[in-house]
Amino acid sequence: MGKADFLSPKAISNRIKSKGLQKLRWYCQMCQKQCRDENGFKCHCMSESHQRQLLLASENPTKFMDYFSDEFKSDFLELLSRRFGTKRVHNNIVYNEYISHREHVHMNSTQWETLTDFTKWLGREGLCKVDETPKGWYIQYIDRDPETIRRQEEQARKKKQDLDDEERTAKFIEEQVRRGRDGKETEETSVFTELKRESEEEKVAFNLGASSSVAGPSRSSSVLGASALKAASSSVKRKDTSSDARGEKKKKSALEEIIEMEEKKKQKSVRTDYWLQPNIIVKVITKKLGEKYHKKKAVVMEVRDKYGAVVKMIDSGDKLKLDQNHLETVIPAPGKRVLILNDQYRDLEAVLEGIDEKNFSATLTLDSGQQKGKRVDVAYEDFSKLA
């Protein structure tokens, strides 16, 4: 019997029946064919094409299972990242949306028996954040795109810089308030009073000549000569001029003082926000690469774009390209050689003498440069062990 026409009632009926999801028990994953009823599925299982597919699968079953598992995982994660992003969502919601596509890979052909097993596997592999609640399992996609990671690190660096600026401004304001209070206290303590006699019976005589004056009966009179008056007047003038000068110094505005402080800092400080140098030993602090590299030491082989580096792991010999935010300096034992990475002694080699745990710094003896032999205090993050 010939095939029905495209617009015939039978053909239209068949297309309507084939729309949407069918029963999973009548689906053949090997042939990727969906049957509408038990009789159709039985006929398909007896067909020559199905038998041929079974023979191919029996030769290497793990290969086909791995292929279907990879397809299921990639499609599921693509839907999760595109549809929900990094939001926390119930795993059943994602799965129901995934299986709504008619040509999806069925879970019974993968290495996972249930959706819970697949969710736990995603958590163990670090592909998603998973947590179990009384309502079921929730998953959250972890975006490992390098562009996204770089953008997040730039935002974090900018936020930290803004916080540092705010803290610096707050400290400066506190210093201004403290200086203002100290100035008021000194003005209150240095109050000038007029001359007063302790008793009315006492007589004070002024003699502009060389002779002395006689005081009353209570106690000896005070004698002020012309030279004493001149000295007093000159001292008063000096006080007035010094107070005027002090007043002129206080008249500086807060903006001018901020500008002066910033200029002094620019002159003194030569710090940079990058510190990587070749041939130093560093430690990997990021967990994104797994436990294999976490807290392991490596040697910087090459510095790229100031903020990135190619490092070689000391234990395994693997080479990785990492950002400086994923690394930290290594402090050796006293007596070992180090390289200063930042501040005014940058690029100079030194010998570690001692560690000050309270101030998070170390005492180094410079071993190169014009100031060789000089002892300096350097913060932990500004030097690292030489390879």
Coordinates of all heavy atoms in Angstrom, one line a residue, residues 104 157 197 207 230 267 283 304 314:
H104 N 15.7 15.1 23.0 CA 16.7 15.1 24.1 C 17.2 13.7 24.3 O 16.6 12.7 23.9 CB 16.1 15.7 25.4 CG 15.1 14.7 26.0 ND1 13.8 14.7 25.6 CD2 15.2 13.8 27.0 CE1 13.1 13.8 26.4 NE2 14.0 13.2 27.2
R157 N 38.4 44.4 42.4 CA 39.6 45.3 42.5 C 39.1 46.8 42.6 O 39.6 47.5 43.5 CB 40.5 45.1 41.4 CG 41.9 45.8 41.6 CD 42.8 45.5 40.4 NE 43.1 44.1 40.2 CZ 42.9 43.5 39.0 NH1 42.5 44.2 38.0 NH2 43.2 42.2 38.9
R197 N 46.7 93.3 92.0 CA 47.4 93.3 93.3 C 46.7 92.3 94.2 O 45.4 92.2 94.3 CB 47.4 94.6 93.9 CG 48.4 95.6 93.2 CD 48.5 96.9 93.9 NE 47.2 97.6 93.9 CZ 47.0 98.8 94.5 NH1 48.0 99.4 95.2 NH2 45.8 99.4 94.4
N207 N 60.1 103.5 88.9 CA 61.2 104.4 88.9 C 61.9 104.3 87.5 O 62.5 103.3 87.2 CB 62.2 104.2 90.0 CG 63.2 105.3 90.2 OD1 63.2 106.3 89.4 ND2 64.2 105.1 91.1
K230 N 61.3 97.7 78.6 CA 61.6 97.5 77.2 C 61.6 96.0 76.9 O 61.1 95.5 75.8 CB 63.0 98.1 76.8 CG 63.0 99.6 76.8 CD 64.4 100.1 76.4 CE 64.4 101.6 76.3 NZ 65.8 102.1 76.0
Q267 N 55.5 61.4 46.1 CA 56.9 61.5 46.1 C 57.6 60.3 46.8 O 58.6 59.8 46.4 CB 57.3 62.8 46.7 CG 57.0 64.1 45.9 CD 57.3 65.3 46.6 OE1 57.8 65.3 47.7 NE2 57.0 66.5 46.0
K283 N 52.7 30.4 45.7 CA 51.7 29.4 46.2 C 50.4 29.6 45.5 O 49.9 30.8 45.5 CB 51.6 29.4 47.7 CG 50.7 28.3 48.2 CD 50.6 28.4 49.7 CE 51.8 28.1 50.5 NZ 51.7 28.1 51.9
R304 N 53.3 37.6 32.0 CA 52.6 38.1 30.9 C 51.6 39.2 31.2 O 50.8 39.1 32.2 CB 51.8 37.0 30.2 CG 52.7 35.9 29.6 CD 51.9 34.8 28.9 NE 52.7 33.8 28.4 CZ 52.2 32.7 27.7 NH1 50.9 32.6 27.5 NH2 53.1 31.8 27.3
I314 N 55.9 22.6 41.3 CA 57.1 21.9 41.8 C 56.9 20.4 41.9 O 57.7 19.6 41.6 CB 57.5 22.5 43.1 CG1 57.9 24.0 42.9 CG2 58.7 21.8 43.7 CD1 58.3 24.7 44.1

